[in-house]
Amino acid sequence: MLEETGWGPGPLTLLCAYGADVGISDARVHRYQADGATLKGPPADTTEATRVAWIPLSAVRDLLDRGQLDDGASITALLYLLAFAPISTAIKPAETVPEAGAT
């Protein structure tokens, strides 16, 4: 997260773990929820993300409906969060997020 966005996560809570490629690999994926985030500086690798922004949890369903999220691992974590986590857990940090690669 830090390398791609410049933000460091707060305390982490495990949301879920699952087999990434069941039947092909024994790899397990673990998805975490961060309790807050702190801006540490600009992203170290500006090629990892074209845009970094805080999206309210209430807007995630619309992004999914419009096909704007197509990464399976991210969709899994977001759907799990929407289904099982308290809505109060989606708190935006106080600082705004600069665009990735912005100077």
Side-chain angles (χ1 to χ4, degrees):
M1 179 174 157
L2 182 60
E3 178 182 341
E4 293 86 1
T5 68
W7 288 80
L12 300 174
T13 302
L14 180 66
L15 283 176
C16 60
Y18 55 90
D21 292 309
V22 176
I24 296 172
S25 165
D26 63 354
R28 302 271 309 155
V29 174
H30 298 82
R31 295 291 168 219
Y32 293 86
Q33 175 185 346
D35 183 15
T38 304
L39 183 60
K40 302 288 187 176
D45 186 347
T46 58
T47 64
E48 291 283 335
T50 56
R51 180 173 176 250
V52 176
W54 292 105
I55 306 295
L57 192 56
S58 60
V60 168
R61 176 64 191 264
D62 183 56
L63 292 172
L64 290 167
D65 287 345
R66 291 186 286 134
Q68 300 223 323
L69 298 173
D70 64 355
D71 167 47
S74 296
I75 290 171
T76 299
L78 289 167
L79 290 176
Y80 190 94
L81 184 65
L82 286 169
F84 299 112
I87 201 75
S88 63
T89 61
I91 297 172
K92 177 182 173 184
E95 299 184 50
T96 56
V97 178
E99 293 289 325
T103 55

